[in-house]
Amino acid sequence: MATAVMTTLDQRTRAASRGMSDISIRNLFIIPTILFLIVFNIFPLLYSLYYSFTDFRASTNAPANFVGLQNYRELLNDPFIWSNFAITAQYVIVSVTGQVLVGFGVAMLLNRDIPFKGLITTLLLLPMMLSMAVVGLFWKLLYDPSWGVINYALGLGNFEWLANPKMALYAVAITDIWMWSPFVMLLSLAGLSAVPKHLYEAAAIDRAGSFYTFFRITLPLVAPILMIAIIFRTMEAFKTFDLAYILTSQPTTEVISIRLYKMAFQEWQTGRSCALAYIVLIMVIAITNIYVKYLNKVKER
Amino acid sequence: MTQIELRGIQKFFGAVQVIKDLNLKIEDNEFIVLLGQSGCGKTTTLRAIAGLETIDEGDILIDGQAVQHLKCSDRDIAMVFQSFSLYPHMTVYENIAFPLRATRMSRSEVDKAVRGIAGVLRITDLLNRRPSALSGGDMQRVAIGRALVRRPKAMLMDEPIGALDAKLREEMRAEIKRLHLEQGSTTIYVTHDQVEAMSLADRIVIMHEGILQQVGSPSEVYSYPANLFVAQFVGSPVMNIAKAQVSEEAGSARVTVDGAEKGFAFPNELLGKIDRLKGANGSLALGIRPEGVMVEHQAREGFLPVEAQIIEPLGSYDIVDLKLGSQMLRARTRSGFVASAGDKVFARIDPTQAHFFDTKSGNSLGVRL
Ligand SMILES: Nc1ncnc2c1ncn2[C@@H]1O[C@H](COP(=O)(O)OP(=O)(O)OP(=O)(O)O)[C@@H](O)[C@H]1O
Ligand SMILES: [Mg+2]
């Protein structure tokens, strides 16, 4: 019994003087949390699981008919859904790779004695702290072909970033890289500064060059924490919605979340969209699991 | 075939001078031990030779070539760190192979070299383990293996066995000696343990506050300490040091320790060798190791009456604190020779083991009887 291990309340505390027992305090703190979780997370989760097996439409009053696995079968056979997944995969790869390269690179630059290191780090973290919607609107202005700062600075004339179907997805990814590289940088910096300095000295004595030292000492020792950053960013990028939705409405940028949103709230295919949501959830869990397996292997020392 | 020479090395950390005008020549294949108290600059000296630390002045020569501006990797010197610094994510095999792979040696050569050195160090069965699964002694062997495997020009070792327990330390000491004899490479070994220094060194270099005090073979350093610091630092239990006067009495030399009524008899030659003024000025000190104090139960010619104060039985011998006037004299006797504290016994000093120092400069007067 959980109550058996609980220590009794100190008689002098205020709570005790009000006549509250350990159990009543536990209930006071934990029950609202559990209720909240049930109402807003667990119930919708189960409820949508039920809907995913029906042809329910939230826009009509028609009763939901149980259709079995039909929604799943149709979704998985739909080439358009697969193209949405392909777009998402492309986006995840570009954006996460970019974030890791930029974030880790900046962390390497910052991982030495430089003046104003703390201030620089804090300033570099700013993009991460902004709201997605603000970043989206802000970059829409920056990307503007006629008077946007980016074309002006790069001397690209009237280059179309968001209206160009080939470029739009990359433009969204670049914004995401700008916003989330600081996150990777922060974790990498923690990993880099945890590598003991004497290992670098030992490597120097062992006549290892800088590339060899980086790939054989630095990278393996930072790998576990870098892996955690990659897991977080992959999960987030897979579910991305706000940036892509705000920046552009190209069919080439229709990542899976946008498709899901349209299916649920524009086409009102509630049952089918619940099924799609479950497919996405299973995919995210699967990908994360692969990473976690690898992470455990890396940490095994 | 490596000689190392240090010429006028000066090293500052900010305003603090850590190495002061260090000059030292190390011969090929020599085993040099740098001995000194904690914080005297031993590690700094070693790191300067290895190239991990820059020097502010002076030259470091390896085989006659100035290397102070070269990177570590161009000096071809291996080092065993105080904390071992094994690579935690690599197996023992990979750790030892690291210096070879870093210089792109072929796979088969690496394998041969690693297995060879592992055999010498008797760690063949540990090759697949990670450092976290090794004992202190094993880690030390691996660290030495990693240093030796590429047959460096010189080996530097920074208190490699300081972290081990007493028994293992003794074992590893013998091991290191054996390895040096087998493999033969110029070695500089840092320690603050004088027993380690005595047992390993071809020559001992004693440092104090960044200044080189004396260089010499273990027996030289022990028998003829160059100054008061060396005299008190080397040898255990420490040498007795007391201010003393030299006088002539009834045609023979006497050395009277401050606070004692009578002096010890010394051969007459002492008078010719020592400037008696020194004693008169109060700047003469007598040094005698405990084994140079002879103790008898009966009064004899030249022996002074003393009282035993403390007896430390150390097994094979005893250390007895003898009260001579207001001074304490530590003597080494057969175990049980002085039965109990408070006993009256008689002591004299073996003149051939006596040392005389100028207390002003701290230097030995170089008197040998
Ligand atoms: N990086 C540094 N910055 C400033 N002072 C330092 C630095 N490294 C060493 N020192 C100082 O230089 C002096 C000598 O240090 P060193 O490490 O050479 O001593 P050591 O003889 O090796 O001592 P130990 O036996 O404790 O290892 C010490 O007073 C130390 O505080
Ligand atoms: Mg040291």
Side-chain angles (χ1 to χ4, degrees), chain A residues 198-209 211-213 216-218 220-221 300-301, chain B residues 47 50 52 72-73 76-77 79 81 85-90 98-99 101-102 130 146 150:
Chain A
H198 58 84
L199 292 186
Y200 291 121
E201 288 182 346
I205 291 279
D206 288 342
R207 297 191 290 180
F211 271 99
Y212 197 78
T213 308
R216 298 289 296 151
I217 310 269
T218 313
L221 289 174
E300 223 175 66
R301 49 180 182 233
Chain B
R47 288 168 58 86
L52 294 171
C72 318
S73 48
D76 194 8
I77 286 181
M79 182 157 167
F81 292 83
S85 288
L86 298 179
Y87 307 121
H89 55 295
M90 298 183 196
F98 188 91
R101 287 177 176 167
R130 291 202 192 276
R146 190 177 66 182
R150 63 185 166 100

Side-chain angles (χ1 to χ4, degrees), chain B residues 301-320:
Chain B
E301 171 56 30
F303 281 70
L304 298 180
V306 290
E307 189 187 312
Q309 295 261 312
I310 302 168
I311 302 171
E312 294 172 45
L314 295 176
S316 53
Y317 58 88
D318 289 354
I319 296 296
V320 185

Side-chain angles (χ1 to χ4, degrees), chain B residues 247-261:
Chain B
S247 57
E248 196 176 345
E249 204 174 289
S252 80
R254 296 264 158 188
V255 177
T256 316
V257 178
D258 277 11
E261 283 155 33

Side-chain angles (χ1 to χ4, degrees), chain A residues 7 20 37 60 64 70 117 131 139 151-152 158 164 217 246 254 268 271 291 297 299:
Chain A
T7 53
M20 288 161 87
L37 271 176
T60 66
Q70 189 193 338
K117 186 168 155 181
S131 119
W139 275 76
N151 279 356
Y152 177 77
N158 279 345
N164 178 345
I217 310 269
I246 292 167
E254 196 179 84
W268 292 109
Y291 281 137
K297 225 171 78 182
K299 277 202 308 199

Side-chain angles (χ1 to χ4, degrees), chain A:
Chain A
M1 283 289 290
T3 49
V5 295
M6 286 171 105
T7 53
T8 38
L9 208 60
D10 190 329
Q11 294 304 316
R12 283 158 305 187
T13 59
R14 269 207 283 177
S17 65
R18 284 184 194 158
M20 288 161 87
S21 71
D22 287 357
I23 294 175
S24 59
I25 288 184
R26 180 194 68 178
N27 293 347
L28 186 70
F29 282 102
I30 292 179
I31 290 185
T33 318
I34 291 182
L35 273 181
F36 188 90
L37 271 176
I38 290 174
V39 171
F40 292 100
N41 279 334
I42 302 192
F43 171 72
L45 200 68
L46 295 177
Y47 206 56
S48 62
L49 182 63
Y50 161 71
Y51 275 147
S52 72
F53 297 112
T54 66
D55 66 353
F56 180 64
R57 299 178 79 94
S59 56
T60 66
N61 280 331
N65 298 316
F66 188 78
V67 293
L69 287 171
Q70 189 193 338
N71 284 333
Y72 289 93
R73 210 180 310 122
E74 282 175 11
L75 280 170
L76 291 175
N77 285 322
D78 183 349
F80 293 106
I81 292 292
W82 283 110
S83 90
N84 290 132
F85 274 120
I87 290 170
T88 311
Q90 194 186 354
Y91 174 78
V92 168
I93 290 167
V94 172
S95 135
V96 174
T97 310
Q99 284 163 29
V100 168
L101 290 181
V102 175
F104 194 75
V106 175
M108 291 280 288
L109 292 178
L110 280 178
N111 186 37
R112 63 188 76 193
D113 286 326
I114 48 171
F116 308 114
K117 186 168 155 181
L119 182 69
I120 294 174
T121 312
T122 312
L123 287 178
L124 285 174
L125 289 180
L126 278 180
M128 199 172 98
M129 299 171 187
L130 302 176
S131 119
M132 285 271 202
V134 172
V135 171
L137 292 172
F138 181 49
W139 275 76
K140 207 168 178 169
L141 299 181
L142 296 180
Y143 277 136
D144 192 281
S146 42
W147 43 271
V149 174
I150 290 176
N151 279 356
Y152 177 77
L154 298 178
L156 290 175
N158 279 345
F159 185 76
E160 291 280 3
W161 288 91
L162 298 169
N164 178 345
K166 286 210 181 77
M167 201 59 215
L169 188 68
Y170 295 104
V172 178
I174 288 170
T175 309
D176 198 48
I177 292 170
W178 176 83
M179 188 166 176
W180 290 108
S181 292
F183 175 78
V184 180
M185 178 198 84
L186 194 65
L187 288 191
S188 306
L189 207 52
L192 284 173
S193 49
V195 179
K197 214 170 165 195
H198 58 84
L199 292 186
Y200 291 121
E201 288 182 346
I205 291 279
D206 288 342
R207 297 191 290 180
S210 44
F211 271 99
Y212 197 78
T213 308
F214 177 79
F215 285 108
R216 298 289 296 151
I217 310 269
T218 313
L219 205 53
L221 289 174
V222 182
I225 202 158
L226 192 61
M227 210 60 218
I228 290 175
I230 293 176
I231 292 176
F232 271 105
R233 289 316 309 152
T234 305
M235 262 159 52
E236 287 282 304
F238 203 89
K239 300 186 302 181
T240 202
F241 175 78
D242 335 30
L243 276 185
Y245 191 74
I246 292 167
L247 278 170
T248 160
S249 49
Q250 297 284 341
T252 53
T253 62
E254 196 179 84
V255 290
I256 198 68
S257 307
I258 293 182
R259 180 84 276 269
L260 186 59
Y261 168 78
K262 285 183 179 163
M263 198 185 278
F265 301 109
Q266 289 176 0
E267 300 158 13
W268 292 109
Q269 308 190 51
T270 313
R272 182 185 276 238
S273 63
C274 285
L276 181 56
Y278 263 89
I279 293 173
V280 173
L281 179 69
I282 289 164
M283 282 186 165
V284 172
I285 290 174
I287 293 172
T288 314
N289 251 324
I290 296 171
Y291 281 137
V292 170
K293 281 245 165 61
Y294 179 75
L295 177 68
N296 286 338
K297 225 171 78 182
V298 171
K299 277 202 308 199
E300 223 175 66
R301 49 180 182 233

